[in-house]
């Protein structure tokens, strides 16, 4: 797996340190509110699991699966709901937890979709943000790191469903996606 990685971009230590800081921010903001934290499958799974374990306030979790990508590295702009939530959102304080915001289409879709279900509030928390790639005006309320226009994998993020189990975030060698298996 590491043979395909050009460079480790964010180490385990840096991930863990930043996630503790975000957890503190969320604990403050949602004190006494029992928020519903929504993990967007599959990319956010590691971030979500680590983040909720650092939070000290009572909270609930649910999962939703969205697909916006084909097999390549460029978004199609087309977002599809693959698995819906089991929890009703009416009156809830919802936190959408995503791996990365790239063009912004996924987050825009999610906010619009969940807003029709009458939650009390919706905020978004993303591990990574690539602002230079944005095509629609949408920004996370909480975020881990801003990154350049580079395709990253690991810590839940994939290329063609691979590399999700890499414990850190790395930059894929361009030769890997230029080959297009
Ligand atoms: P958006 O709709 O273009 O904002 O795309 C968001 C989704 O694209 C994320 O949830 C990821 O699944 C995927 N994505 C965007 N950039 C990367 C990347 O650098 N590595 C892996 N997946 C990415
Ligand atoms: Mg994703």
């Amino acid at each position: 797996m590491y043979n395909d990685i050009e460079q480790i971009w964010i180490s385990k230590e840096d991930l863990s340190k930043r996630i503790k800081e975000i957890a503190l921010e969320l604990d403050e903001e949602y004190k006494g509110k029992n928020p519903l934290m929504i993990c967007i499958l599959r990319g956010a799974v590691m971030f979500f699991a680590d983040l909720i374990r650092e939070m000290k306030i009572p909270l609930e979790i649910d999962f939703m699966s969205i697909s916006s990508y084909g097999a390549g590295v460029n978004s199609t702009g087309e977002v599809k709901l693959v698995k819906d939530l089991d929890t009703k959102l009416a009156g809830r304080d919802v936190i959408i937890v995503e791996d990365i915001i790239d063009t912004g289409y996924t987050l825009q879709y999610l906010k619009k979709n969940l807003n029709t279900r009458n939650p009390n509030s919706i905020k978004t928390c993303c591990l990574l943000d690539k602002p230079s790639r944005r095509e629609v005006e949408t920004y996370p309320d909480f975020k881990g790191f801003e990154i350049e226009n580079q395709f990253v994998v690991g810590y839940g993020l994939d290329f063609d469903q691979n590399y999700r189990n890499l414990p850190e975030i790395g930059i894929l060698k361009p030769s890997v996606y230029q080959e297009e298996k």
Side-chain angles (χ1 to χ4, degrees):
M1 203 163 47
Y2 283 99
N3 285 338
D4 295 343
I5 304 300
E6 189 158 273
Q7 198 186 337
I8 298 297
W9 201 248
I10 309 176
S11 68
K12 285 190 220 177
E13 293 71 28
D14 289 347
L15 283 166
S16 137
K17 186 168 162 252
R18 185 71 191 113
I19 288 166
K20 286 192 174 104
E21 291 168 0
I22 303 170
L24 264 176
E25 280 181 54
L26 291 171
D27 276 350
E28 277 292 308
E29 178 117 0
Y30 289 92
K31 205 180 286 169
K33 287 194 169 157
N34 191 31
L36 178 67
M37 313 255 319
I38 300 179
C39 175
I40 308 302
L41 297 171
R42 289 166 253 179
V45 69
M46 311 285 177
F47 174 44
F48 189 78
D50 285 343
L51 180 65
I52 62 174
R53 279 182 292 181
E54 291 295 340
M55 291 174 67
K56 307 283 182 279
I57 58 167
L59 56 84
E60 291 175 29
I61 65 172
D62 203 345
F63 299 85
M64 198 171 180
S65 183
I66 284 296
S67 94
S68 61
Y69 266 32
V73 293
N74 287 304
S75 173
T76 55
E78 190 190 311
V79 182
K80 216 174 70 195
L81 179 58
V82 180
K83 182 220 170 282
D84 206 348
L85 301 168
D86 295 320
T87 314
K88 297 264 181 298
L89 296 193
R92 298 303 303 264
D93 293 296
V94 172
I95 308 174
I96 301 172
V97 182
E98 250 286 44
D99 51 359
I100 184 165
I101 313 187
D102 187 37
T103 61
Y105 286 115
T106 307
L107 198 66
Q108 188 188 46
Y109 169 88
L110 284 168
K111 283 202 267 189
K112 232 184 235 165
N113 181 304
L114 299 186
N115 241 320
T116 63
R117 310 182 193 191
N118 301 316
N120 184 51
S121 68
I122 296 188
K123 286 204 176 180
T124 56
C125 176
C126 290
L127 180 62
L128 305 173
D129 186 13
K130 279 193 215 174
S132 65
R133 294 258 309 164
R134 205 58 39 84
E135 290 176 25
V136 290
E137 286 282 309
T138 181
Y139 299 93
D141 298 294
F142 304 89
K143 79 171 149 197
F145 303 87
E146 269 191 20
I147 62 168
E148 298 297 311
N149 179 14
Q150 254 150 338
F151 198 80
V152 290
V153 293
Y155 198 65
L157 290 138
D158 74 307
F159 170 66
D160 247 353
Q161 299 307 327
N162 285 120
Y163 312 102
R164 292 194 196 273
N165 57 325
L166 197 78
E168 46 284 278
I169 293 190
I171 296 173
L172 203 57
K173 286 182 184 160
S175 61
V176 176
Y177 50 83
Q178 277 150 11
E179 276 166 28
E180 293 277 85
K181 293 171 263 179

